[in-house]
Each structure stands twice: as C-alpha cells, then as structure tokens.
Amino acid sequence: MTDTRLDVAETLKDLPAWRAHDGDRPAITRTLTFADFNAAFGFMTRVALMADKMDHHPEWSNVYDRVEILLTTHDADGVTDKDVTLARFIDDAAAGMGVKS
Ligand SMILES: C[C@H](O)[C@H](O)[C@H]1CNC2=NC(N)=NC(=O)C2=N1
C-alpha cells in the first residue's frame, strides 16, 4: 500500500456502495443502516479493530441503527489505496450483518 492519491471518480467505479464526499476535500462516504443499535455497534467494533491494525482510521458517526462513514487519507490529503482497502473490508463486514441499505 502506498500513499499515492487516487482519482475519486475512478476509485468509485470499483466501490458501488460509496459516493464522493460533497465537501472540502477528496474523500469517499457510505451510510449504512443496520437492524438495530446492537448490530451497528458490533459492526463499528469490527471496523475499529481493523482500522487500528491498519493504522488507518475512519471519520464516522453513529445514531441508533445508522453509521455514516467518511474515508480519506489525512497524510496524503486525498483518497489512497488504504481507503480502498478499508472500504472493501467495511463492505464485506456489512454484507453479512443485516445491513438494510
Ligand atoms: C501517525 C499515524 O500513523 C498517522 O497519523 C495515521 C493514523 N491514522 C490515519 N487515518 C487516516 N484516515 N489517515 C491518515 O493519514 C492516518 N494517519
């Protein structure tokens, strides 16, 4: 994995559940809705452990069954392979956890 900045539009072609962040800097976002708070927080725990292992951390928030996630690489001021790797892990983790959207 490198800290090379990727083109956001190109990157999103391989990440259909993700959108370009509409804001101040290059980033990708996904909002997930789970069955309930327990499922949402269980998902966040799994992602948190992987993020810490990768030393690459999401910007996110949780309200009850909903988790909003923004991925960007602060050290590169943009989206990198690290964000793609974490996004794929997030998609895989969510797929088996009763995600409603
Ligand atoms: C010192 C440490 O490796 C860095 O601050 C890491 C920590 N987690 C990080 N997370 C994210 N999303 N981007 C970074 O550039 C980053 N850098």
Side-chain angles (χ1 to χ4, degrees):
M1 281 190 290
T2 66
D3 267 356
T4 304
R5 287 175 60 150
L6 302 174
D7 180 77
V8 171
E10 282 297 314
T11 302
L12 289 175
K13 288 181 183 170
D14 286 334
L15 294 171
W18 295 78
R19 300 286 173 266
H21 171 57
D22 183 19
D24 45 341
R25 62 226 158 105
I28 58 174
T29 64
R30 180 175 179 187
T31 298
L32 304 101
T33 306
F34 292 84
D36 53 24
F37 175 78
N38 189 293
F41 202 78
F43 161 82
M44 292 179 80
T45 302
R46 292 176 66 182
V47 173
L49 293 174
M50 174 52 73
D52 213 36
K53 203 180 285 183
M54 290 175 61
D55 193 30
H56 192 68
H57 302 88
E59 299 179 30
W60 57 4
S61 64
N62 160 242
V63 178
Y64 179 49
D65 61 352
R66 201 176 73 245
V67 181
E68 292 184 14
I69 304 175
L70 181 149
L71 299 179
T72 190
T73 302
H74 306 130
D75 296 340
D77 285 325
V79 173
T80 70
D81 281 348
K82 291 177 181 172
D83 300 300
V84 175
T85 299
L86 190 55
R88 293 218 170 99
F89 179 86
I90 286 168
D91 287 348
D92 289 347
M97 287 194 64
V99 174
K100 291 199 285 190
S101 60

